[in-house]
Amino acid sequence: MCEPSNQFTMGLRDFIKDYFLSFWDYETPKVMVVKNKTLGIIYRGVQFLVITYFIWYVFISQKAYQESENRPESSVYTLMKGSAVHGDDVLDTVEYAQPSEGGDVISAILRREVTYDQKQGTCAEYFNVANANCTTDSDCVEGEVDFDGHGKRTGNCVQYYNHTFKTCEIQTWCPVEDYAVVREPPLVEAINFTVFIRNSIHFPRFKVLRGNIRNASNKRKLHKYLKTCHYDEEKDAYCPIFRLGYIAKQAGENFSELCRTGGVIGVFINWKCNLDLDPSNCKPSYSFRRLDLRKDQASSGYYYRFAKYYRKDGVESRTLIKAYGMRLDVIVHGNAGKFSPIPTIISTVTAMTSVGICTIICDWIMLTFIDKNEVYSDRKFDEIVKEPKVPITTELSFINSYGSNHSDLSEGVPL
């Protein structure tokens, strides 16, 4: 029992000793020149692809040598302007813009459905509501509220306004909207309404503050400029005033269809700033896209309801308005970059390391697919052969090791 234990202990001690001593050895890989044109073409081709990727995409396109900031501080102010004749009325901003001045969301009313002179009372439920049609009072449950309907049922079965059939009576604002609604024609002149979008963006890491309005020498010139300009990507990229017709066109939408159903359009302001150049070169770019889903016709479009309350003959009354509109959501994205030595060093080291992939790929091809691959394998790897420990006095001793071929300068050998 003791002898195997002693052998194990001695073997473990020798292993640890050999590992500790070999840890301080210096190893260098074996260099083998393979005269094979096919392998050489593959090697240089892979090298070219790797180097091109890092130079063109990583350094030039992605600017990996820069420190970047992609979460800037931003503020948005919007204001809509324009007037239109609608029947006998002249509509201004207060009538069609909600809110009249706002933040990153603003909408314009393009079409209205109006229910006039509603009062609190009892009236017949709309006939298309489920279980609203009746013949006797027993068909109507008193106090029942149908959430797809318009109010609370009184338990009476009454004549449906001027028609011959009957529906359940409800307590609500009467007459109900679906029966008494008046659908007005669309506000086609809204295509020329303008929206002013002022955007300021701040990159705190680089202490850079930019705006989307052209700098002017004085306020008078700035106001004169803003009264006459309209945004143009090529001619006037610093004008923050957009026509609603232009926005709809850039989003690929038909303005007449938007007047009918309404819609939500995203106004994307993109700031991509290279701060290695002068900050004045940091300019915004705009893009437009429809945001609400059009595939589901039941929920597509954009509309909302509001009411105007008043007293008539001492009774509180209201005018209910269902407004179809074009809502603009202003969404700001920003990214700024500036040269920094740390990302430059990291990207450079990564590129140099990635070039080593070429050797790994070509070694695998050489040892797997190239003719005479067994010959290459014998030259590439050395076998470990146990030889008797016979002291041999030489100036230079060659030591075979797995996966490498190196020279070891022994102690006491004159250099």
Side-chain angles (χ1 to χ4, degrees), residues 95-129:
E95 294 291 327
Y96 61 77
Q98 295 291 333
S100 56
E101 58 179 65
D104 54 1
V105 176
I106 192 169
S107 65
I109 297 175
L110 304 180
R111 187 173 66 86
R112 302 190 307 179
E113 295 181 355
V114 185
T115 306
Y116 294 98
D117 199 24
Q118 283 188 319
K119 301 179 181 65
Q120 281 285 344
T122 58
C123 54
E125 175 64 283
Y126 187 57
F127 69 91
N128 269 348
V129 175

Side-chain angles (χ1 to χ4, degrees), residues 299-326:
S299 61
S300 64
Y302 172 72
Y303 64 87
Y304 58 94
R305 289 178 174 87
F306 64 96
K308 295 181 179 180
Y309 294 87
Y310 55 93
R311 298 192 73 84
K312 184 177 180 181
D313 299 330
V315 179
E316 185 181 27
S317 304
R318 75 176 187 182
T319 297
L320 178 64
I321 301 172
K322 182 179 181 181
Y324 290 84
M326 178 177 173

